[in-house]
Amino acid sequence: MQSSNRVHTFIEEVCEQICWKKSHKIVSKELENHIEDQFEENIKLGMSEDEATEKAIEEMGNGTVIGLELNEIHRPKSQWKLILTFIFLSLGGLFLRYQYLSNLPIPYYYIGDLRFTIVGIVIMVLAYYINLSTLLKNTKLIYIVTFVITILLMIPIGKYNGAYTLAMRFVVFYPLVFVLVVYSQRGRGYEGYIRSILLMLPLLILALLVRYSSALLLFGISILVILAYALKEEWFKTPKIESFIILIISIIFISVFLFLVYKLLFPQYIEEVVYNKNLLLGNTHPFALVYQTALSGSKFIGRGEFTGGAESLPMYETNGFLTYLILKLGWIFFVFLLVLIVSFAYGIFKLSKRYNTKFGNYISLSIISTFVLQFMLYALFNLGIGFFPPLSLPFISYGSTLQLVNFLLLGILLSTFRHSGIIEDILPDQKKSRTVS
């Protein structure tokens, strides 16, 4: 007991020099592990436990000096450059909407967005300060709350053209929730792998009941990306080939299962899931034809030619805003957006790798897939491939509450980088370091 107190005293001396108190726990564990390793070596050399402990602490060095050195390492990693970048992009989107939508009789699409952008920035900054260990400790609660909120949002007032639009926007949050589920099953073998798949099903069913195909598609593809990455990294500690076979079988089974749910409960649902029933007959959506015709008269740089003008495009202020901007500015604007989204995805994932935490990698992957898929669905619709209704063009198109969800995701992403020094990637069955006694 005496030697144990000596270890704790030394660790407290080190931690007193470290200003960021959130890092004290992980620093304490690191120091304790180092002392324990050296303690065991000293025991092998024939020392008594008290002597082995004192020698191990002595070899660590001066506690105050070590603490000052660790204080330079263990501190929040400021992400204000990224925060300012995201704010700049949002303001850029506001400028585009104001510049090209100010002719509308009711300027809701830019004045309303100004309100949502300000609130969204506040949400992003607040989320930036979230202690992510709280998310890890409350995965079950977050899962249940997500389920309940979706149900509450499926109210008649939030229904439009058969889809629950309020709930649809919340489905964009699902990939992050699924990442927390997958992360909690680390190293649990087939049990953890199957449990992750089973816990995915209720969320998939909810996404189906929301009746907005793009939201379901976004979540479904995100699931595949997250699970594929988990299997590649041997997250569950299961053989890769067998695990991928299970994944393929699960995809087939779940697809059939969701189809039966729709078939039994919603006979007309396919007309609401897909943007227009004509698509089932192999026809093109009417809006797609208009967008294709409009883009055929666009230029690489500068204003394109379109009968009736760009303002005659259907939904040009919302779902067709990208086609509208291409007509106004040229294809160079689309190229710029494409480069921007690729740079965003590559830069964020590279940054998460640099911070070297698996948790950060998974969070980054879920949020990257969410943003990239939103861009792809929106771009495909605006390019005249209107198989699915668009969600939102991040930072640029009108998005209201979906914009708030995107800001929340960005805040959590930044918080992941900020707190990378205090998140431990420990297997559930990994042995905890024993206290030196």
Side-chain angles (χ1 to χ4, degrees), residues 326-431:
I326 293 174
L327 271 176
K328 289 284 188 178
L329 302 172
W331 281 101
I332 191 171
F333 180 75
F334 178 76
V335 173
F336 168 76
L337 282 184
L338 189 60
V339 171
L340 186 66
I341 194 69
V342 171
S343 300
F344 168 81
Y346 176 76
I348 292 299
F349 197 69
K350 185 177 179 181
L351 196 59
S352 72
K353 287 287 188 180
R354 191 180 78 185
Y355 285 130
N356 200 31
T357 64
K358 291 296 183 183
F359 181 70
N361 292 346
Y362 277 91
I363 292 290
S364 299
L365 187 65
S366 70
I367 295 176
I368 288 170
S369 64
T370 299
F371 274 77
V372 169
L373 287 168
Q374 284 185 71
F375 171 81
M376 288 178 61
L377 289 168
Y378 195 95
L380 288 173
F381 184 80
N382 277 258
L383 293 177
I385 310 173
F387 293 103
F388 298 96
L391 289 164
S392 172
L393 185 59
F395 301 116
I396 294 177
S397 75
Y398 172 74
S400 61
T401 49
L402 182 53
Q403 197 176 42
L404 299 184
V405 174
N406 283 333
F407 273 115
L408 174 61
L409 292 175
L410 289 175
I412 292 173
L413 174 69
L414 295 170
S415 181
T416 304
F417 298 153
R418 182 174 186 266
H419 293 91
S420 62
I422 63 170
I423 298 175
E424 296 178 279
D425 293 317
I426 298 179
L427 293 170
D429 58 351
Q430 185 173 335
K431 292 182 180 180

Side-chain angles (χ1 to χ4, degrees), residues 238-254:
T238 56
K240 285 185 181 180
I241 296 178
E242 289 87 339
S243 299
F244 274 105
I245 291 173
I246 292 175
L247 179 59
I248 294 171
I249 294 173
S250 299
I251 292 171
I252 297 172
F253 169 78
I254 291 170

